[in-house]
Amino acid sequence: EAVVSTQSTGDLFDLLHQLQESLAAIVTSIGCIPHSKWREFQNDRQKSPARGFIDGDLIEKFLDLPRAEMSKICTEVYYDFDGTGMKRQGTVDDMIKLIEDLARIH
């Protein structure tokens, strides 16, 4: 399983979290279990939602989406893709490059 650590910069974590939330709303999991339920912690005594990490497997599912779905998600995402210090709306190509770069790291 791929999990992106909270060691990511704040802006990158925010971007990936935003992407994760968008993907969780449209990607159907095996068994139709909502992503939030799939990733929550549960034992005999307690149950708590997953927080503070990014599900890399879910993020990589972006690459499997039709281009039209990718474009729709990108309208919700702003990040400093160019390293200029200025956030801008991401393009499909920006997101693909970012996700592929992150996938190469792990």
Side-chain angles (χ1 to χ4, degrees), residues 11-24:
D11 286 345
L12 178 57
F13 183 84
D14 291 345
L15 166 75
L16 294 172
H17 187 264
Q18 202 175 17
L19 178 59
Q20 177 175 275
E21 293 298 311
S22 296
L23 287 166

Side-chain angles (χ1 to χ4, degrees), residues 1-103:
E1 285 185 40
V3 174
V4 177
S5 163
T6 56
Q7 305 262 329
S8 301
T9 64
D11 286 345
L12 178 57
F13 183 84
D14 291 345
L15 166 75
L16 294 172
H17 187 264
Q18 202 175 17
L19 178 59
Q20 177 175 275
E21 293 298 311
S22 296
L23 287 166
I26 63 169
V27 172
T28 305
S29 66
I30 296 173
C32 296
I33 300 168
H35 183 261
S36 59
K37 291 287 184 197
W38 170 253
R39 286 297 183 189
E40 76 182 8
F41 171 79
Q42 182 175 352
N43 65 18
D44 294 337
R45 293 181 284 146
Q46 68 181 29
K47 178 170 42 170
S48 61
R51 53 183 161 211
F53 76 93
I54 301 298
D55 183 342
D57 290 332
L58 181 59
I59 296 296
E60 287 179 1
K61 289 189 186 288
F62 179 85
L63 303 174
D64 299 330
L65 294 175
R67 194 129 178 128
E69 287 289 324
M70 290 178 174
S71 293
K72 184 191 291 187
I73 289 173
C74 287
T75 63
E76 304 168 7
V77 175
Y78 289 83
Y79 182 68
D80 178 15
F81 290 96
D82 307 315
T84 62
M86 299 293 295
K87 289 184 180 182
R88 65 172 173 79
Q89 185 176 12
T91 65
V92 170
D93 291 333
D94 289 331
M95 292 304 299
I96 289 172
K97 181 180 181 322
L98 177 67
I99 293 166
E100 288 177 345
D101 288 348
L102 289 170

